[in-house]
Amino acid sequence: MAAGNRGPVKLTNAALLAGVALHVLAIGMHAPAMAQDTTTRIDELQPNIPADAKLLLTANELVYNRDTEIVTVRGNVQIEYGGYKMVARQVEYNQKSGRILATGEVQLIEPGGNIVYADKMDVTDDFGNGFVEALRIETTDLTRLAAESGERRNGEEFILNKAVYTACTPCSTKPEHRSLWHIKAQRVIQNGRTRTIRLEHAYFELFGKPIAYIPVMEIPDHTVKRKSGFLFPTFRYAQKLGAGVGIPYYWAISPYMDATVTATGLTRQGFLLEGEFRQRFHNGMHTLNVAGISQMDRDQFTPGTVDAEETARGMVASRGRFEINPRWTFGWNVLVQSDNNFAKTYDLSSFDGTTYVNQAYLSGLGKRNYFDLRAFYFDIQDADPNSIAENQQPIAQVLDYSYTAPEPVLGGELNADFNFTNVKRNRLDRDTTVFGVDRFRGLEGSSHRLTGELEWKKTFIVPGGLALTPLLAARGDAVGVNVDDPIGYTGEFTSSDAVTRGMLTAGLEARYPILFAGETSSHVLEPIAQLYARPNEQYAGALPNEDAQSFVFDATNLFDRDKFSGYDRIEGGTRANVGIRYTGSFDSGYGLRAIAGQSFHLGGLNSFATDDLVKVGADSGLETDRSDYVAMVGVDAPSGLMASLSGRLDEKDLDFRRADATVGYLGLTWQAAFTYTRIEAQPLYGSQSDQDEIQTAAAYRFHDFWSVFGALTYDINNGVVSRHGVGLTYDDQDTLFSIVYKSERDTDSTVANDWSIGARISFRTLGDINVGETRFEELDYF
């Protein structure tokens, strides 16, 4: 029956307040240590019930004693009010004393889905004071809180006696599951005025055994987002650094600024101090990182390396990203170090790669155009005290702009691309091959190039399904050269300070897709032929080559108009590309894909057969009039199995010049990947011997939440394992434990630590404890 008088309404409201307060306490149990001070009133803990909410009360019996002024509802009591639902065997409301007593399997369901259970609930109608007996709370984020009793005092304190807290994600599907960890406390006190939760005589239990005792601990409750304080310690171990323990301190400076300072003691190298300052603006964010150490035992490192020669070492890094408006963004990444290997040696997160790219950029993205301006400086992290490799890197500024006409031009699509590149290098970067041929990967001095290109194309579908795409393109370059002459270069290098060059292209592509459909499968076979007519490349190999040094001819670029990887080289001469593409799909879930073909140089100067500062076309498979064959085939199975094979075969004897084979499986119990790579020697290009390498990675789940994983890289030609690692992990979504051993063969003294051990243990809602690095790049394990 519906009720609207004061007695039932106040009775229900007080009961709902009790449930809300219990939920607030449960959330506060796993509030983060970092929080900001915000004003929160006690009345913010009240249920958010609309003013016009209707109360629905159903029960087997309702009795109102006028003499005692007690309202009693009994038998399957159900109350719904403002989205809250309450169930109990009996509820009494004493209008004289203003107390509500709910008994018998009390259950409260909040609008958000949290559930509060209790055997008995005795509170005042304003919830200033009260008592709850044998309570349990289950939240929507799958955490659980239980206590023998709970008490509300003075309208601002809520006290739990003999409380237990844990997180249990698997419990939603496996009620019998027991979490590996619990927090037990003799008393838990939530103070609504100070917005804190105080734990007294608390134990952290793992596998049912207490492993840590905390006499007193006070943490912010859920109403506080950020607050200064110490975070979980970090642990690490590396071969030449020793064991380390880091103590991080979080400082909430303001609502928009915070910082983390970490002091790490390393048994072999002393104290490493790290700091990170973060500041958020209305349109972006800036991060400043600093770190430093005075090395205690340099003799641990390889003699003659920068790690062994330096004592005081440090770094400063700055990162920023800001949105000017929805289309324009600018930012920067900058790292400055005392030497060229500090961040890598000490595994400083985000800065420990072999190459750190310092850059500043401005990018704009429109509906049909794109703008990107960047300046680069490449920080090479190795153990060379002279920093030769870093001094050989260029300082570069690059501008790219692309535009596509919004309306068809002569019925086709018109695109315009522009590029400006300026490069300055302080030191000659020269590599001499086994045959005594010099490769000039970079010339000392500066050079710049401005490139503009227009491309028009349109596709016609002729009767019978043949697709014809004519193409016209025009490109022009203005190049300025102020570099030292490449002494020993076998080609002809320009003697001019400024040159111009151009390229006109007329092309035609023909595709004829043929569909074969069966009862259980469909197949598309598509022969493709292209013809590009062009004049010879001007100044072929006579200009600096900065951005077109990397070149691999395979099935992925068979049908590219210009197969060079950058602007510094232009493919010239008349060329035809011929091949066939196949795609098949089966009702059983299997899929097939393949492509194969060949390229033919028909006339003019073959750009890939000309000399080049880095010998980019040598042994590429395109230097002859009839290119090597390229092919790729792949299969995908519904079981999770996949395989692919790609390669380049000699155009005369079909010997493999390059091959990549991959077999992988992704299943519920195990996953694995096997990759074989073969690259035939390219002596003129700097590869002096055949390269054959095997990479393997696998993971096996041997129990509900346990799995083992590992990876290995084997150099077949040298007969050595260049990298390997193995690890063990447990993950039930609430508790993550992982331990990893990794080793890397040091052939050039660029790696300070040959091997390392990393471990991580993470408790959902509490935090992480890390020992070293546990990333396993070769494998995305369970």
Side-chain angles (χ1 to χ4, degrees):
M1 61 183 173
N5 60 43
R6 177 178 178 272
V9 170
K10 294 196 71 177
L11 178 153
T12 306
N13 195 37
L16 297 178
L17 284 168
V20 170
L22 294 177
H23 169 52
V24 165
L25 185 58
I27 294 177
M29 286 287 289
H30 59 265
M34 33 192 180
Q36 84 178 42
D37 293 333
T38 56
T39 303
T40 302
R41 304 186 311 273
I42 299 300
D43 58 13
E44 290 179 355
L45 305 180
Q46 309 287 335
N48 185 20
I49 300 176
D52 59 349
K54 303 296 182 182
L55 183 144
L56 178 64
L57 169 65
T58 61
N60 294 339
E61 180 182 7
L62 185 149
V63 178
Y64 178 59
N65 190 321
R66 294 182 181 274
D67 296 332
T68 59
E69 297 186 41
I70 295 178
V71 180
T72 304
V73 288
R74 301 190 185 94
N76 195 25
V77 180
Q78 298 184 38
I79 304 172
E80 295 187 23
Y81 185 46
Y84 291 83
K85 298 179 181 180
M86 184 177 182
V87 176
R89 290 184 179 178
Q90 178 174 301
V91 179
E92 291 184 359
Y93 173 52
N94 189 321
Q95 290 181 296
K96 288 183 178 180
S97 64
R99 297 193 72 88
I100 295 96
L101 176 64
T103 57
E105 299 178 358
V106 180
Q107 178 177 323
L108 177 75
I109 303 177
E110 299 178 351
N114 301 308
I115 305 175
V116 180
Y117 303 91
D119 286 349
K120 180 180 179 181
M121 188 180 296
D122 183 0
V123 295
T124 57
D125 57 8
D126 64 354
F127 196 58
N129 297 280
F131 182 83
V132 182
E133 190 175 285
L135 67 92
R136 289 187 299 118
I137 301 175
E138 296 180 3
T139 66
T140 55
D141 64 351
L142 303 177
T143 61
R144 297 186 173 191
L145 175 67
E148 286 190 0
S149 63
E151 184 179 0
R152 178 75 168 172
R153 292 180 182 176
N154 305 321
E156 65 179 27
E157 282 190 346
F158 195 87
I159 303 171
L160 294 180
N161 299 304
K162 295 184 178 180
V164 180
Y165 169 80
T166 190
C168 192
T169 301
C171 294
S172 59
T173 55
K174 296 182 178 180
E176 72 280 3
H177 180 79
R178 294 294 177 264
S179 179
L180 294 186
W181 60 270
H182 300 82
I183 294 179
K184 294 183 178 180
Q186 193 70 25
R187 286 211 315 170
V188 179
I189 305 171
Q190 186 227 4
N191 191 305
R193 177 176 53 82
T194 61
R195 290 166 285 128
T196 59
I197 293 177
R198 178 184 174 91
L199 285 78
E200 298 180 352
H201 301 290
Y203 288 88
F204 181 82
E205 293 189 355
L206 187 63
F207 296 105
K209 303 296 183 181
I211 63 170
Y213 169 67
I214 306 173
V216 178
M217 181 173 68
E218 191 168 271
I219 61 175
D221 66 18
H222 81 292
T223 64
V224 183
K225 297 179 180 179
R226 297 162 57 248
K227 187 175 183 178
S228 301
F230 287 98
L231 306 180
F232 271 108
T234 62
F235 304 89
R236 62 192 303 183
Y237 186 83
Q239 179 190 10
K240 298 173 182 178
L241 306 182
V245 179
I247 306 298
Y249 181 82
Y250 176 82
W251 181 20
I253 304 172
S254 76
Y256 312 106
M257 290 188 294
D258 57 20
T260 303
V261 178
T262 304
T264 302
L266 298 166
T267 56
R268 293 179 178 174
Q269 299 302 334
F271 282 94
L272 173 68
L273 187 64
E274 300 174 75
E276 181 173 285
F277 170 80
R278 297 166 292 268
Q279 183 173 11
R280 185 173 294 279
F281 301 86
H282 72 281
N283 64 338
M285 184 174 181
H286 170 241
T287 303
L288 179 68
N289 293 81
V290 296
I293 191 173
S294 178
Q295 295 189 147
M296 188 171 60
D297 188 0
R298 296 181 300 168
D299 294 337
Q300 291 290 333
F301 300 104
T302 304
T305 64
V306 67
D307 300 291
E309 293 183 358
E310 298 291 336
T311 299
R313 308 178 71 180
M315 58 148 279
V316 177
S318 174
R319 291 172 292 174
R321 178 181 173 85
F322 295 87
E323 294 185 358
I324 303 173
N325 57 42
R327 293 187 176 184
W328 287 91
T329 302
F330 80 94
W332 65 88
N333 303 311
V334 178
L335 170 65
V336 179
Q337 301 189 85
S338 59
D339 59 81
N340 57 313
N341 210 35
F342 169 65
K344 185 177 181 181
T345 299
Y346 285 88
D347 292 327
L348 302 183
S349 179
S350 302
F351 307 102
D352 56 353
T354 301
T355 302
Y356 185 85
V357 181
N358 296 269
Q359 62 176 312
Y361 59 89
L362 172 66
S363 296
L365 179 63
K367 293 182 178 180
R368 303 185 69 86
N369 61 346
Y370 170 73
F371 175 92
D372 188 79
L373 174 62
R374 292 177 185 263
F376 296 95
Y377 177 82
F378 301 95
D379 193 346
I380 305 299
Q381 301 199 75
D382 59 23
D384 180 9
N386 298 317
S387 302
I388 294 177
E390 182 169 323
N391 290 329
Q392 291 175 336
Q393 300 304 306
I395 300 172
Q397 300 83 40
V398 180
L399 168 65
D400 284 294
Y401 179 76
S402 178
Y403 174 79
T404 300
E407 301 295 335
V409 177
L410 299 177
E413 182 181 79
L414 181 65
N415 295 286
D417 291 289
F418 299 91
N419 173 269
F420 174 77
T421 299
N422 182 68
V423 173
K424 185 179 187 303
R425 183 177 275 100
N426 296 321
R427 185 169 186 152
L428 173 68
D429 184 4
R430 176 168 53 191
D431 174 56
T432 302
T433 69
V434 68
F435 293 113
V437 177
D438 290 328
R439 297 175 64 244
F440 296 87
R441 295 178 295 194
L443 302 176
E444 184 175 347
S446 62
S447 62
H448 48 268
R449 173 188 37 76
L450 175 64
T451 298
E453 184 175 40
L454 288 175
E455 180 190 76
W456 175 92
K457 61 183 178 181
K458 181 180 180 180
T459 299
F460 300 89
I461 306 298
V462 302
L466 179 66
L468 297 175
T469 303
L471 176 145
L472 296 174
R475 169 178 163 171
D477 296 279
V479 183
V481 181
N482 184 19
V483 296
D484 292 347
D485 290 337
I487 306 300
Y489 178 41
T490 54
E492 182 179 348
F493 190 73
T494 182
S495 59
S496 301
D497 293 336
V499 299
T500 59
R501 63 181 179 180
M503 178 64 67
L504 297 175
T505 303
L508 178 66
E509 179 185 80
R511 294 181 291 109
Y512 190 67
I514 305 171
L515 173 64
F516 301 92
E519 293 184 359
T520 61
S521 63
S522 62
H523 311 266
V524 177
L525 199 63
E526 188 178 27
I528 303 173
Q530 296 174 327
L531 178 65
Y532 294 113
R534 297 169 289 216
N536 295 337
E537 178 187 6
Q538 297 174 295
Y539 298 99
L543 298 172
N545 181 3
E546 294 284 353
D547 67 356
Q549 297 186 9
S550 174
F551 180 71
V552 175
F553 175 50
D554 57 21
T556 62
N557 58 12
L558 170 63
F559 297 110
D560 288 354
R561 172 166 61 91
D562 191 334
K563 296 178 177 59
F564 283 113
S565 59
Y567 287 99
D568 285 338
R569 291 296 307 268
I570 310 174
E571 185 177 338
T574 300
R575 180 173 290 274
N577 303 313
V578 179
I580 190 168
R581 184 159 46 202
Y582 164 78
T583 304
S585 59
F586 299 81
D587 293 347
S588 59
Y590 283 86
L592 294 174
R593 60 192 186 280
I595 187 171
Q598 193 175 23
S599 183
F600 299 88
H601 177 71
L602 302 180
L605 179 67
N606 185 348
S607 296
F608 300 100
T610 60
D611 208 344
D612 181 90
L613 286 167
V614 293
K615 315 303 178 188
V616 69
D619 303 314
S620 65
L622 287 167
E623 70 276 11
T624 56
D625 289 343
R626 199 180 72 163
S627 77
D628 288 346
Y629 297 97
V630 291
M632 182 276 293
V633 61
V635 59
D636 298 295
S639 62
L641 182 69
M642 61 80 61
S644 64
L645 173 64
S646 63
R648 195 182 95 225
L649 292 81
D650 188 90
E651 48 95 11
K652 295 180 180 178
D653 53 19
L654 298 183
D655 285 346
F656 268 110
R657 300 304 181 198
R658 184 184 183 100
D660 293 279
T662 300
V663 178
Y665 175 78
L666 179 61
L668 296 177
T669 304
W670 63 280
Q671 64 181 28
F674 176 91
T675 301
Y676 168 74
T677 301
R678 171 177 172 77
I679 304 175
E680 192 176 67
Q682 298 174 267
L684 293 179
Y685 191 54
S687 179
Q688 301 177 3
S689 60
D690 294 346
Q691 300 177 49
D692 295 87
E693 187 178 83
I694 293 176
Q695 292 182 340
T696 62
Y700 174 65
R701 182 176 305 207
F702 58 88
H703 198 268
D704 286 345
F705 307 110
W706 289 93
S707 60
V708 62
F709 52 91
L712 180 146
T713 300
Y714 181 69
D715 186 338
I716 297 176
N717 301 102
N718 294 319
V720 297
V721 175
S722 55
R723 300 181 68 187
H724 68 278
V726 65
L728 177 72
T729 186
Y730 172 91
D731 185 4
D732 65 3
Q733 300 181 63
D734 293 319
T735 307
L736 171 65
F737 169 75
S738 182
I739 183 168
V740 174
Y741 167 81
K742 294 190 294 185
S743 176
E744 182 173 355
R745 186 168 180 265
D746 186 7
T747 58
D748 53 6
S749 298
T750 62
V751 180
N753 301 288
D754 298 332
W755 57 268
S756 64
I757 296 176
R760 175 191 176 196
I761 186 167
S762 174
F763 305 106
R764 187 172 72 89
T765 75
L766 296 183
D768 296 352
I769 299 176
N770 293 287
V771 180
E773 181 58 67
T774 58
R775 285 180 301 176
F776 221 80
E777 300 172 355
E778 297 87 350
L779 180 65
D780 181 16
Y781 56 92
F782 298 104

